[in-house]
Amino acid sequence: VSAFEPRNPDYEARVRESFARQGAMTLIGASIVWLAPGECDLAVDRRGELLQQHGYFHGGIAGTLADSAGGYAAFSLMAAEASVLTVEYKINLVAPADGERLIARGRVVKPGRTLVIARADVYVTRGGREHLCATTLQTLMTMMGHADAPRA
Amino acid sequence: VSAFEPRNPDYEARVRESFARQGAMTLIGASIVWLAPGECDLAVDRRGELLQQHGYFHGGIAGTLADSAGGYAAFSLMAAEASVLTVEYKINLVAPADGERLIARGRVVKPGRTLVIARADVYVTRGGREHLCATTLQTLMTMMGHADAPRA
Amino acid sequence: VSAFEPRNPDYEARVRESFARQGAMTLIGASIVWLAPGECDLAVDRRGELLQQHGYFHGGIAGTLADSAGGYAAFSLMAAEASVLTVEYKINLVAPADGERLIARGRVVKPGRTLVIARADVYVTRGGREHLCATTLQTLMTMMGHADAPRA
Amino acid sequence: VSAFEPRNPDYEARVRESFARQGAMTLIGASIVWLAPGECDLAVDRRGELLQQHGYFHGGIAGTLADSAGGYAAFSLMAAEASVLTVEYKINLVAPADGERLIARGRVVKPGRTLVIARADVYVTRGGREHLCATTLQTLMTMMGHADAPRA
């Protein structure tokens, strides 16, 4: 059970619809594997195009996944007429992301009126077990009156 | 003229060869547009797959590009028998990355023996002018005796 | 029960002795209120000199306390002949630190051989309850063969 | 010459008056050594109470000084009826802060309407020369209609 009450009862449809419009999520092959108020988990499966030169998942891919996971965790708590922008994030790559699948678990830490603070832990699946490979801290901004839509 | 003296006279070939092995750089369509000791600029052109839901370059793509730009700026100063790993980075998205081209300019701030600190400013080209859209601060680690090569 | 096994059975004496030599901790009036392998909580009581211009605890004081809490959490796991240095930290001030007491709870996230990743949550006590006011993510470095001692 | 135009012609008096009310700046003995629109340098002289266990300036003190330097750089550009809050900062300690004096040079990177991004480089003076010892990246928030004053 999530600790947060969503302002928008249709939060799930809004998150999924916005996610579907993120070209970058399609590019890396990400999918939503968990969604609840203030919580969003995103995953990608291993493909050569997601790796760095040593054969691990690229730190930028882990950051991209975590940025969107935290962003949608925040967006799930926002009002229907608001959209979300990332202000900044910081990622620590704590172990090589060596494995078959990368999963970023975004969680809201503090839902402010203007700013929302989120964190995401990123795990890599190897030999059937999840190993922590990165952790992030992120600041997001609520954009009131900016529908979450592509530019005309 | 760069402020740094490379330990490895063949640094350029090593950076280009390592870059070519980063699947993630191929995936996003990045290319090296500047390289000097302690300096590396990477660029990508606008494509729908690099955008977020408002039609700007995705913050994670900016982070990925900046991570690699700072990483190769650091790697350019390393000895021939060393490789580089990102420890962490932090990115501030200071303006919407709305434009035709994204360029991350990685610069070494402090080349330590074990740790290297780098920064990268990220610009978006719009109407023929470059606009600052993100800035990063990054910690990298020198891995001595780990050839920069894919796992067998 | 802590999740970590200390390399040095005398870790508690070492942490307390090092802490006692930190002039900055004396300056702000910090004390150790919890210590276990990989865990260290530090607290300061409200005094005018710890505040910023609105009468809340200064963000820098929260950062200083969190830096040391994470640092000693890391140090508690290190070998007897090692000392600890902070590489970097990032702090999000998630709510005004308005209250009588500030407590930073440092926890090791990943104890690597050279680098240790820690986080600290900072709480302010107001009306008998603890409120989260800041959260940090931190990278520390093990300095082997550098006794944790003042310079001669 | 600063690149920024201040909204408030009396910015200097406002910054100095707010600074004087920061108990934490008095505690560590900081003074303003440079002030211009979007720019603020703060310095402290070496005292035992500002050091860590190896005899260098404490990383938290460097962070406190940089936080205020960036904060006042931002505040110098704000309207008369606004005040400033730090949202977050990240500091990289790039070299031991071993010397007689610590100076943090805060500079605004991007002055947004709600959020201001600043950076601060921190130097330590040793043997008559300044050495870079830390660098920060910081997000600040403009609080409109909140006079910069202590709580009643």
Side-chain angles (χ1 to χ4, degrees):
Chain A
V1 179
S2 161
F4 299 108
E5 196 65 46
R7 281 186 191 80
N8 179 358
D10 287 337
Y11 75 90
E12 182 166 351
R14 278 200 88 215
V15 167
R16 291 188 183 279
E17 190 263 343
S18 173
F19 181 84
R21 273 189 283 108
Q22 281 212 345
M25 291 296 103
T26 308
L27 180 70
I28 66 174
S31 59
I32 299 176
V33 295
W34 172 253
L35 187 59
E39 306 184 356
C40 179
D41 295 356
L42 301 178
V44 289
D45 288 319
R46 182 190 176 90
R47 287 153 45 205
E49 307 95 85
L50 303 182
L51 310 182
Q52 36 84 288
Q53 74 277 22
H54 305 111
Y56 309 139
F57 282 98
H58 193 283
I61 300 298
T64 300
L65 203 66
D67 176 22
S68 282
Y72 283 117
F75 188 53
S76 73
L77 299 180
M78 293 184 183
E81 66 278 14
S83 68
V84 64
L85 269 183
T86 298
V87 173
E88 58 86 33
Y89 61 90
K90 180 245 206 289
I91 182 165
N92 267 78
L93 304 161
V94 306
D98 181 15
E100 300 101 43
R101 188 176 166 84
L102 204 62
I103 180 161
R105 306 195 188 281
R107 296 291 179 270
V108 168
V109 172
K110 178 82 181 189
R113 207 164 34 121
T114 306
L115 298 180
V116 179
I117 312 306
R119 78 167 27 129
D121 287 329
V122 186
Y123 299 87
V124 68
T125 307
R126 189 172 59 246
R129 279 189 51 210
E130 288 193 355
H131 303 263
L132 182 72
C133 62
T135 184
T136 70
L137 205 49
Q138 184 185 17
T139 307
L140 300 123
M141 194 170 189
T142 305
M143 306 290 282
M144 288 304 296
H146 286 246
D148 182 74
R151 295 165 310 154
Chain B
V1 179
S2 161
F4 299 108
E5 197 65 45
R7 279 187 191 79
N8 178 0
D10 288 337
Y11 76 89
E12 182 165 351
R14 278 200 87 216
V15 167
R16 292 189 184 278
E17 190 263 344
S18 173
F19 181 85
R21 272 189 283 110
Q22 282 213 344
M25 292 295 103
T26 308
L27 179 70
I28 67 174
S31 59
I32 299 175
V33 295
W34 172 253
L35 187 58
E39 307 185 356
C40 179
D41 295 356
L42 301 177
V44 289
D45 288 319
R46 182 191 176 91
R47 287 154 43 204
E49 306 95 84
L50 303 182
L51 309 181
Q52 38 83 287
Q53 75 277 22
H54 305 110
Y56 310 138
F57 281 99
H58 193 283
I61 300 297
T64 300
L65 204 64
D67 175 22
S68 282
Y72 282 116
F75 188 53
S76 73
L77 298 180
M78 292 182 182
E81 66 276 18
S83 68
V84 63
L85 268 184
T86 298
V87 173
E88 58 86 35
Y89 62 91
K90 180 244 206 291
I91 182 165
N92 268 78
L93 303 161
V94 306
D98 181 15
E100 299 101 43
R101 187 174 166 86
L102 204 63
I103 179 161
R105 304 195 189 281
R107 296 292 178 271
V108 168
V109 172
K110 178 83 182 188
R113 206 162 37 121
T114 305
L115 298 179
V116 179
I117 313 305
R119 76 167 28 130
D121 287 329
V122 186
Y123 299 87
V124 68
T125 308
R126 188 171 62 245
R129 279 189 50 208
E130 288 192 356
H131 304 263
L132 184 72
C133 63
T135 184
T136 70
L137 206 48
Q138 185 185 17
T139 307
L140 301 123
M141 194 170 187
T142 305
M143 306 289 282
M144 288 304 295
H146 287 246
D148 183 72
R151 296 165 308 155
Chain C
V1 179
S2 161
F4 298 107
E5 197 65 47
R7 280 187 191 78
N8 178 359
D10 288 336
Y11 76 89
E12 183 166 351
R14 279 200 87 215
V15 167
R16 292 189 183 278
E17 189 263 343
S18 172
F19 182 84
R21 273 188 284 108
Q22 281 213 344
M25 291 295 103
T26 309
L27 180 71
I28 66 174
S31 59
I32 299 176
V33 296
W34 172 253
L35 187 59
E39 306 184 358
C40 178
D41 294 356
L42 300 177
V44 290
D45 288 320
R46 184 190 174 91
R47 288 153 43 205
E49 307 95 86
L50 302 183
L51 310 181
Q52 37 83 289
Q53 74 277 23
H54 304 111
Y56 309 138
F57 282 98
H58 193 283
I61 300 297
T64 300
L65 204 65
D67 176 21
S68 282
Y72 283 116
F75 188 52
S76 72
L77 297 181
M78 292 182 183
E81 65 278 16
S83 68
V84 63
L85 269 184
T86 298
V87 172
E88 59 85 33
Y89 62 92
K90 181 245 205 289
I91 182 165
N92 268 76
L93 303 161
V94 305
D98 182 15
E100 300 101 43
R101 187 177 168 83
L102 204 62
I103 180 162
R105 306 195 188 280
R107 297 291 178 273
V108 168
V109 172
K110 177 83 182 190
R113 206 163 37 121
T114 305
L115 298 179
V116 179
I117 311 307
R119 74 168 27 131
D121 287 329
V122 186
Y123 299 87
V124 68
T125 308
R126 188 171 62 245
R129 278 188 52 209
E130 288 192 356
H131 303 263
L132 183 72
C133 63
T135 185
T136 70
L137 206 49
Q138 186 185 16
T139 307
L140 300 122
M141 195 170 184
T142 305
M143 306 288 283
M144 288 305 294
H146 287 246
D148 182 73
R151 295 166 308 155
Chain D
V1 177
S2 160
F4 299 108
E5 197 65 47
R7 281 185 191 79
N8 179 359
D10 288 337
Y11 76 89
E12 183 166 352
R14 281 200 85 215
V15 167
R16 291 189 183 278
E17 190 262 344
S18 173
F19 182 84
R21 274 189 282 107
Q22 281 212 346
M25 291 296 103
T26 308
L27 180 71
I28 66 173
S31 59
I32 300 176
V33 295
W34 171 253
L35 187 59
E39 306 184 357
C40 179
D41 295 356
L42 301 177
V44 290
D45 288 319
R46 183 190 175 90
R47 287 154 44 206
E49 307 96 83
L50 302 182
L51 309 182
Q52 37 84 287
Q53 74 277 22
H54 305 111
Y56 309 138
F57 282 99
H58 193 283
I61 300 297
T64 300
L65 203 65
D67 176 22
S68 281
Y72 283 116
F75 188 52
S76 72
L77 298 180
M78 292 183 183
E81 66 277 17
S83 68
V84 63
L85 269 183
T86 297
V87 173
E88 58 86 33
Y89 62 90
K90 180 244 206 291
I91 182 166
N92 268 77
L93 303 161
V94 306
D98 181 15
E100 300 101 42
R101 188 176 166 83
L102 203 62
I103 179 161
R105 305 195 189 283
R107 297 292 179 270
V108 168
V109 172
K110 177 83 183 190
R113 206 162 38 120
T114 305
L115 298 179
V116 179
I117 312 306
R119 73 167 31 131
D121 287 329
V122 186
Y123 299 87
V124 69
T125 308
R126 189 172 61 245
R129 278 187 53 207
E130 289 192 352
H131 304 263
L132 183 73
C133 63
T135 185
T136 69
L137 205 48
Q138 185 185 17
T139 307
L140 301 122
M141 196 171 186
T142 305
M143 307 289 281
M144 287 305 294
H146 287 247
D148 181 73
R151 295 165 309 153

